[in-house]
């Protein structure tokens, strides 16, 4: 039986398909080389002991048997809800999670749209299932980690982040059909750059919920179960309310852009993939209205400096931009940095975005 080890789960960037997941649509994330490790050691008792190198402070100790949604938030630092939620959701799914000491470390910037939350959940999940001696299929692990985030942490996110962290292959993006759950590995040799705008604007959680509600209402007006089922994006013109019309148009056109991106990646046509990225950004800015000034400036400056295309990624109102670059990106980084400096904004950070392997044991 496994007594200890180190498990790694990556963050992700989403190449195409934003706010399409909860509309039963398509997304196309890839795993990053950056991620989170959970170094785990079995404990003889039924206690989960949590330490994060990113959160200095005493170890947090939680009794496994008492875990239930709503029990952790008031008593311990908020981040502990992620690993505790995973332990709870695994037990709910019938896996006998043993007591464990978990030491977390990460090179992902949290809250930057790179899914440090799913990386944390999935690293902990692999660690706990290994200590439990359970061999759980990756698709089931993704669903369990999502349940932890939705029900225990209380974030109403889709299945994309956990699927990307667990299922991605090196050198590939993952086409995920959020309606059927079907996944397809798509070769992706594009050179990409993440621009962390280091901006986070308020009301993110509320706005996320508002967009979900608007999408449901737009689907109702079009008499389709979800926006996935629109046959022709031109049909969205039938919605009288201008806001709902724009929301539906974004979801429909971004779904199409995912499938177009897959075809272009297979053909190795990166300039056209770049053009789609920039179109997606315009749609997120003008139709879905979840972009933020730093993202708009980063996209504009990157494209002007030679990027093949760029768009905001993640839920919106803050976080990162993904740019497709034709080669060495230093001129693009310089241009974006000067655009930010000229506005006296906090300067952006840049990371290589290399499609990498999904979660695994590393020691
Ligand atoms: P994102 O997933 O885009 O990075 P989220 O808001 O979904 O942003 O998740 C960020 C949260 O996840 C942090 O506020 C923290 O609670 C938790 N988290 C992520 N990484 C770590 C870590 N290394 N140590 C402790 N908590 C972490
Ligand atoms: Mg997250």
């Amino acid at each position: 039986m496994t007594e200890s080890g180190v498990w790694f789960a990556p963050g992700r960037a989403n190449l195409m398909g934003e706010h399409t997941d909860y509309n039963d649509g398509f997304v196309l994330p890839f795993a990053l080389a950056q991620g989170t490790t959970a170094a785990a050691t079995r404990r003889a008792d039924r206690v989960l002991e949590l330490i994060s190198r990113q959160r200095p402070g005493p170890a947090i100790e939680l009794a496994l048997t008492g875990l239930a949604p709503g029990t952790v938030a008031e008593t311990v630092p908020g981040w502990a809800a992620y690993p505790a939620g995973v332990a709870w959701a695994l037990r709910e799914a019938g896996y006998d999670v043993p007591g464990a000491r978990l030491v977390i470390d990460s090179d992902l910037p949290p809250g930057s749209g790179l899914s440090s939350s799913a990386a944390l959940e999935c690293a902990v999940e692999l660690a706990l299932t290994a200590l439990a001696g359970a061999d759980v299929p990756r698709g089931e692990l993704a669903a369990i980690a999502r349940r932890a985030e939705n029900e225990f942490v209380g974030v109403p996110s889709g299945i994309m982040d956990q699927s990307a962290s667990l299922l991605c292959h090196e050198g590939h993006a993952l086409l995920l059909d959020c309606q059927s759950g079907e996944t397809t590995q798509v070769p992706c040799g594009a050179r990409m750059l993440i621009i962390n705008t280091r901006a986070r604007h308020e009301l993110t959680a509320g706005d996320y919920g508002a967009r979900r509600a608007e999408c449901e209402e737009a689907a109702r007006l079009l008499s389709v179960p979800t926006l996935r089922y629109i046959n022709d994006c031109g049909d969205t013109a039938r919605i009288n309310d201008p806001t709902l019309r724009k929301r539906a148009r974004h979801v429909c056109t971004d779904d199409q852009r995912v499938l177009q991106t897959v075809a272009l990646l297979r053909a190795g046509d990166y300039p056209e993939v770049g053009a789609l990225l920039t179109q997606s950004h315009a749609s997120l800015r003008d139709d879905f209205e979840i972009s933020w000034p730093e993202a708009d400036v980063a996209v504009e400056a990157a494209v002007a400096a030679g990027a093949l295309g760029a768009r905001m990624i993640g839920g919106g109102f803050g976080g990162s931009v993904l740019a497709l670059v034709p080669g060495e990106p230093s001129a693009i980084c310089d241009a974006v940095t000067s655009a930010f400096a000229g506005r006296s904004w906090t300067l952006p950070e840049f990371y290589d975005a290399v499609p990498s392997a999904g979660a695994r044991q590393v020691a």
Side-chain angles (χ1 to χ4, degrees):
M1 197 180 291
T2 309
E3 288 300 316
S4 64
V6 183
W7 287 265
F8 168 86
R12 60 99 189 97
N14 184 20
L15 195 48
M16 196 63 76
E18 216 64 77
H19 285 262
T20 48
D21 58 353
Y22 56 79
N23 289 297
D24 283 347
F26 299 100
V27 291
L28 189 61
F30 61 90
L32 298 170
Q34 299 86 341
T36 300
T37 51
T41 314
R42 176 192 304 277
R43 281 177 61 127
D45 54 15
R46 292 264 159 184
V47 169
L48 201 58
E49 180 185 348
L50 304 170
I51 293 160
S52 168
R53 298 282 177 235
Q54 281 68 52
R55 301 294 165 103
I60 298 161
E61 295 202 354
L62 299 168
L64 274 174
T65 41
L67 290 178
T71 55
V72 171
E74 297 111 57
T75 48
V76 297
W79 74 269
Y82 292 88
V86 168
W88 167 77
L90 282 169
R91 289 171 73 89
E92 286 278 302
Y95 297 103
D96 187 22
V97 175
R101 171 184 159 91
L102 294 169
V103 181
I104 307 300
D105 200 359
S106 181
D107 62 356
L108 283 168
S112 302
L114 306 179
S115 202
S116 70
S117 59
L120 173 57
E121 289 153 14
C122 295
V124 167
E125 195 175 28
L126 285 192
L128 291 179
T129 48
L131 296 188
D135 189 14
V136 189
R138 294 262 163 150
E140 187 184 342
L141 285 176
I144 291 170
R146 179 196 182 176
R147 185 168 182 212
E149 184 156 334
N150 290 173
E151 294 182 35
F152 201 96
V153 184
V155 178
S157 46
I159 191 72
M160 170 171 70
D161 297 351
Q162 294 83 7
S163 300
S165 188
L166 289 161
L167 296 169
C168 279
H169 291 185
E170 189 180 350
H172 291 73
L174 181 79
L175 172 63
L176 175 61
D177 179 336
C178 298
Q179 200 259 321
S180 67
E182 194 185 332
T183 56
T184 312
Q185 301 289 338
V186 181
C188 179
R191 178 143 192 187
M192 293 174 285
L193 171 75
I194 286 165
I195 305 165
N196 182 356
T197 69
R198 300 177 72 202
R200 176 136 300 276
H201 301 280
E202 280 156 48
L203 297 172
T204 311
D207 283 316
Y208 184 86
R211 290 301 181 283
R212 284 187 77 136
E214 287 165 349
C215 289
E216 279 169 26
E217 178 62 8
R220 199 184 61 78
L221 292 172
L222 289 171
S223 306
V224 287
T226 60
L227 295 179
R228 157 71 178 270
Y229 293 90
I230 301 173
N231 287 322
D232 175 349
C233 294
D235 290 351
T236 56
R238 299 207 320 262
I239 302 176
N240 287 326
D241 181 281
T243 302
L244 296 179
R245 184 163 66 230
K246 289 197 294 183
R247 303 296 189 253
R249 186 168 58 194
H250 165 72
V251 172
C252 189
T253 58
D254 234 33
D255 260 341
Q256 289 195 339
R257 279 185 287 269
V258 172
L259 299 177
Q260 289 165 349
T261 303
V262 168
L264 291 166
L265 285 176
R266 289 194 170 122
D269 189 345
Y270 301 127
E272 281 303 314
V273 172
L276 288 181
L277 279 179
T278 309
Q279 282 172 30
S280 176
H281 186 76
S283 176
L284 288 159
R285 182 189 61 211
D286 303 333
D287 279 354
F288 220 63
E289 297 182 277
I290 58 165
S291 183
W292 62 103
E294 291 85 350
D296 296 339
V297 166
V299 167
E300 200 180 307
V303 171
L308 301 175
R311 72 173 191 91
M312 58 149 284
I313 57 172
F317 307 105
S320 298
V321 162
L322 179 71
L324 202 72
V325 295
E328 213 285 308
S330 59
I332 293 165
C333 300
D334 290 348
V336 176
T337 301
S338 356
F340 275 48
R343 290 168 175 82
S344 305
W345 289 344
T346 304
L347 296 183
E349 282 171 357
F350 302 94
Y351 324 109
D352 281 330
V354 180
S356 300
R360 59 202 179 268
Q361 184 169 9
V362 291

